[in-house]
Amino acid sequence: MKYRVKHSTRYEYADQVNQGYNVAYLIPRECNGQRVNFSDIRIIPTPASKIKRVDYFGNVVCHFTVEKPHRTLEVIVDSEVDVAPSEPRLLSGGITCAEVRAALVNGINTEDVKASEFCFDSPMIAVTRELSEFAVDLFSPDRPFLEAVSTLNSRIFRDFKYDPGFSTVATPLTDVMASRRGVCQDFAHLAIGVLRGMGFAARYVSGYLETLPPPGQVKLAGADASHAWFAVYIPGDDWQDFDPTNDVMPADQHITTAWGRDYSDVTPLKGVVFGGGGKQVLSVAVDVSRAESPSERALFAANGASARRLDDPVAQSPGLPNQQSQSQQNQSQAQASPTQALQSQTQSQLPPRSV
């Protein structure tokens, strides 16, 4: 499946900004089943420097500096990505939970050793007793590991309410656990914390999810948003993705941008500015569209494809590129969520995948 993705971020400052130093994780990465045909990042005003590199986790990251005085900053990324459908996995067989733990502890090969670093706490995910015990009943030693993870995925989907207005990027997991609500970033962090608490390797995945409006309605420009899910390591095999927000194993509608230990490793846009005043307005628009022919698109729509459940822009908006109080950050992010109203009209559950 070929997708075109446009991600636009715009900051409007109350006062002049003299300099800005920023880091962007907005360029899709090459990975199993995904090929990036092109990706172009444009910055307005023109930056004094723009450097792309590959980070520790293999993600493409762009560092840029803006040294012209400005009152607005725009970052626009246009990408075309091919996503190959993944084969359904057999959940009822394969490596057991005990065998996965043993492989990560013993480090039999290089891949096991590399994956073991995702077993430990990270800046936004600290394992607690509550996290460790949340799903211990699902991971009996002789149970197939992927079957147990799939059941955990379903438990989070069932027991936690999707609530776009509940959390921000700074909401701790303890609050998510206590309130039993959150957004995709929270659910991914929750699953990762639960898995790490039992000795398994899990990582955070950032990207996009293809969405379509209900039958008979036109998809609105900019109505998509960033999405997040998690992946677990299977010794002797590879990593397998799970999306607890929709209770699915991603196939060909999830587009991967970056992965790391948690959200802090792959924040879409973060940095520091000098100046800007005390207030700013942030707006984010994302469009994900299939690049097939009009006839193929019409056929797909006629088959009854529905809208996919997205994350809330408040939780998934890029980090604000200046230092400010949390209340100011919440205000700016709240102003950046016109798509939240659109989601209330188009949002529905993505049906569980048959395996």
Side-chain angles (χ1 to χ4, degrees):
M1 192 66 63
K2 190 186 300 293
Y3 292 103
R4 293 197 178 102
V5 182
K6 182 175 182 177
H7 189 140
S8 302
T9 307
R10 178 183 175 89
Y11 295 95
E12 297 181 22
Y13 300 100
D15 202 353
Q16 178 176 287
V17 172
N18 296 312
Q19 289 181 310
Y21 302 88
N22 303 275
V23 179
Y25 282 88
L26 293 168
I27 300 171
R29 64 173 291 159
E30 298 273 347
C31 53
N32 288 343
Q34 179 171 297
R35 183 181 66 189
V36 180
N37 297 328
F38 69 81
S39 190
D40 175 64
I41 182 168
R42 290 175 289 143
I43 299 145
I44 305 169
T46 303
S49 65
K50 183 174 71 171
I51 300 172
K52 293 181 183 178
R53 67 176 180 87
V54 176
D55 75 356
Y56 175 78
F57 299 109
N59 307 306
V60 180
V61 55
C62 180
H63 298 256
F64 64 91
T65 62
V66 178
E67 298 181 356
K68 296 178 181 178
H70 57 280
R71 296 285 292 267
T72 63
L73 173 67
E74 291 186 79
V75 181
I76 304 165
V77 181
D78 291 291
S79 305
E80 183 180 275
V81 180
D82 284 323
V83 180
S86 60
E87 292 295 326
R89 276 189 177 268
L90 179 64
L91 301 180
S92 59
I95 191 169
T96 66
C97 297
E99 291 170 334
V100 172
R101 288 192 187 96
L104 290 167
V105 169
N106 297 326
I108 298 173
N109 56 51
T110 302
E111 291 304 312
D112 293 347
V113 174
K114 288 171 60 178
S116 66
E117 67 181 316
F118 291 95
C119 294
F120 303 103
D121 286 359
S122 55
M124 299 186 72
I125 304 175
V127 174
T128 62
R129 180 177 178 180
E130 187 178 15
L131 284 173
S132 298
E133 296 178 351
F134 177 77
V136 69
D137 59 307
L138 305 180
F139 290 81
S140 56
D142 59 348
R143 188 177 190 185
F145 178 60
L146 280 182
E147 180 182 82
V149 178
S150 180
T151 309
L152 168 64
N153 202 51
S154 298
R155 176 174 288 185
I156 294 173
F157 175 80
R158 182 187 68 244
D159 292 357
F160 287 75
K161 180 181 179 180
Y162 178 80
D163 185 352
F166 170 72
S167 60
T168 71
V169 293
T171 301
L173 268 179
T174 52
D175 290 359
V176 175
M177 288 289 287
S179 301
R180 289 295 196 268
R181 60 183 61 229
V183 290
C184 71
Q185 174 190 300
D186 303 312
F187 301 153
H189 281 168
L190 171 62
I192 293 168
V194 169
L195 290 160
R196 290 177 182 171
M198 293 184 290
F200 303 116
R203 68 189 182 195
Y204 180 93
V205 186
S206 176
Y208 306 102
L209 176 62
E210 180 198 24
T211 66
L212 292 171
Q217 296 188 25
V218 177
K219 181 175 179 178
L220 301 178
D224 294 318
S226 297
H227 194 51
W229 56 98
F230 73 95
V232 293
Y233 176 68
I234 310 164
D237 191 343
D238 202 349
W239 291 80
Q240 175 61 52
D241 290 13
F242 287 85
D243 180 353
T245 305
N246 293 295
D247 193 19
V248 295
M249 296 169 66
D252 62 351
Q253 294 173 280
H254 289 67
I255 302 165
T256 300
T257 300
W259 61 58
R261 297 166 300 168
D262 58 37
Y263 173 84
S264 66
D265 282 336
V266 293
T267 305
L269 185 61
K270 59 185 177 181
V272 177
V273 298
F274 294 88
K279 293 183 179 181
Q280 60 186 1
V281 176
L282 166 64
S283 56
V284 179
V286 178
D287 287 301
V288 180
S289 60
R290 295 195 177 198
E292 75 273 15
S293 67
S295 60
E296 291 174 322
R297 186 177 294 111
L299 178 62
F300 182 77
N303 287 334
S306 61
R308 277 28 173 179
R309 184 174 175 179
L310 296 176
D311 199 359
D312 172 42
V314 172
Q316 279 297 105
S317 292
L320 303 179
N322 70 351
Q323 297 178 353
Q324 57 181 349
S325 69
Q326 185 61 50
S327 61
Q328 290 173 326
Q329 178 173 337
N330 292 343
Q331 179 182 9
S332 296
Q333 290 178 325
Q335 293 171 339
S337 55
T339 58
Q340 185 173 331
L342 303 179
Q343 290 175 29
S344 66
Q345 301 172 14
T346 64
Q347 182 174 293
S348 68
Q349 307 303 320
L350 187 149
R353 177 183 170 87
S354 299
V355 294

